[in-house]
Amino acid sequence: MPGGAGVRRPDHPTTTRPTAVNGALPGPESPESPEAREALEADGPGGGGPGAGVPERTVPGAGAPETGGPERPVPGPTIAPPLPADGVTAEAVLAPYLQGQAADFLRSLRLHREHSAPSDAGGQGAEAAARALRRSARRISGSLHTFRTVLDPAWADHLRTELAWLSGTLAREHAYAGRLTRLLDALHQLSGATLPAARGTKPATKPGTQPATTTAARTAGAPEAQGRAVLGVGAARAGALLERQLTLARTRAHSAALQALGSSRFHAVADAVALLASEVPLAPGTTGRGAEALLEPAERAEQRLLAAVVALPADESAEPYNEAQDAAWHQARLLLRLHRYAHEVVLGAADPVLTGAGHALDLHRDAAEAAAAAAAAARTPRIAPATAYALGVLHADQRHEVEAARAVFRETWPYATAMTAP
């Protein structure tokens, strides 16, 4: 994005200029609010999107201070998709994007209704339509947040809140199903793998003696064999417990989604999106303003992302079992979503250099939520010790997946200097 990470190459330094990091708009449009989190939480793999890999060109003025002043060249060739041409208004850039997403929303809604009929036993068409419905709702909601100053604020706040409610409600069923699949697959892999020997146990043998016949070797192998046996017994019970709990949660989420889709609140949302497909309410005085009116809010979204990445716990302070550190990573993921959507609006395509980083944050979210589900299942009263042991091993496995996702993010984040605070 002009003046930000959207136009920098991965090998170029990123300077995090002082900006209004806390400039997130108050109320339901803030990414810190529950409504905004629900609107963005269930997004698919990050970074992708229409137009990834489009040819790019040099953007003048990149890196200039926010307060104005002479343009400062970015070192080396900075390339990005073409900026809006001179004379193009903010309305001519933002309105087609929102109207296109609104049309996709209405199209997905029609497909969802068609595939939700009893004759559609497979249900795959309804699931695909629901994913497309959530995708459009997230992009409309994210754009209403970022470009609120350009739009009618009362209208934008209300529609964003309603889309957040809808997207979050529809996402829960899919989230529970994916979490169950992830945990059952992990249990299967763990129960079939060889567990490491206990710490400090070393097989001791004498010259000329077969290792398997020595008492020390049998003693050293006992903890491993015992742990493997306990895990094998507990894994089946743990899997059954997780399946009961998450299937029940998924069923309730499915019922809540059906109830929401039949409610008057949802019909009001659909009517509002239908109106958006034909007209975008702008803030007073916005009509006729140039497309540069969109650059400032897009820049703020980018700077909030960079500041959130700087604030992530450093490698040396990272603790894989410290769930309190997850919140900062989840916030970075949500801000990356908002940056992606702003990039799509202003430049017409997703930022391809952030694809890997966005995917890593999606994996981080999935592993953290799966670990929390395993821990919650382990707190079930009166479960067998073998079941609790298997759930403990599963929780540890998912927390290490969290740590691995953080490492992948640091490796794929293209702006290395933004990883450490100035």
Side-chain angles (χ1 to χ4, degrees), residues 194-270:
T194 302
L195 296 180
R199 288 184 180 180
T201 57
K202 297 181 180 179
T205 58
K206 295 180 180 180
T209 308
Q210 294 294 331
T213 62
T214 62
T215 304
R218 289 194 298 271
T219 303
E224 178 183 353
Q226 181 180 5
R228 191 164 55 246
V230 172
L231 181 60
V233 171
R237 297 176 180 175
L241 176 61
L242 288 169
E243 190 162 7
R244 285 197 303 272
Q245 292 183 345
L246 293 177
T247 300
L248 176 61
R250 181 186 180 184
T251 302
R252 290 174 175 170
H254 179 72
S255 299
L258 291 180
Q259 184 177 3
L261 291 174
S263 67
S264 58
R265 184 179 182 181
F266 169 74
H267 289 295
V269 175

Side-chain angles (χ1 to χ4, degrees), residues 83-254:
L83 290 175
D86 293 340
V88 175
T89 63
E91 181 180 9
V93 175
L94 181 58
Y97 179 84
L98 289 175
Q99 290 170 343
Q101 295 300 329
D104 289 343
F105 181 97
L106 298 173
R107 189 179 306 111
S108 302
L109 177 59
R110 178 178 57 80
L111 291 175
H112 186 273
R113 287 171 176 168
E114 291 177 356
H115 290 289
S116 298
S119 57
D120 188 4
Q124 295 184 355
E127 291 181 8
R131 284 195 299 271
L133 196 66
R134 296 198 311 269
R135 177 186 181 278
S136 300
R138 284 191 302 269
R139 279 161 170 77
I140 296 173
S141 180
S143 300
L144 295 180
H145 159 65
T146 301
F147 302 104
R148 180 179 183 269
T149 55
V150 183
L151 301 164
D152 181 327
W155 168 82
D157 292 349
H158 175 72
L159 182 56
R160 175 175 168 77
T161 302
E162 296 304 288
L163 288 173
W165 161 75
L166 176 62
S167 179
T169 302
L170 296 180
R172 292 191 190 103
E173 179 184 1
H174 174 75
Y176 285 126
R179 200 169 304 156
L180 176 60
T181 300
R182 180 187 183 93
L183 288 171
L184 293 182
D185 289 346
L187 266 179
H188 176 73
Q189 294 176 1
L190 290 170
S191 60
T194 302
L195 296 180
R199 288 184 180 180
T201 57
K202 297 181 180 179
T205 58
K206 295 180 180 180
T209 308
Q210 294 294 331
T213 62
T214 62
T215 304
R218 289 194 298 271
T219 303
E224 178 183 353
Q226 181 180 5
R228 191 164 55 246
V230 172
L231 181 60
V233 171
R237 297 176 180 175
L241 176 61
L242 288 169
E243 190 162 7
R244 285 197 303 272
Q245 292 183 345
L246 293 177
T247 300
L248 176 61
R250 181 186 180 184
T251 302
R252 290 174 175 170
H254 179 72

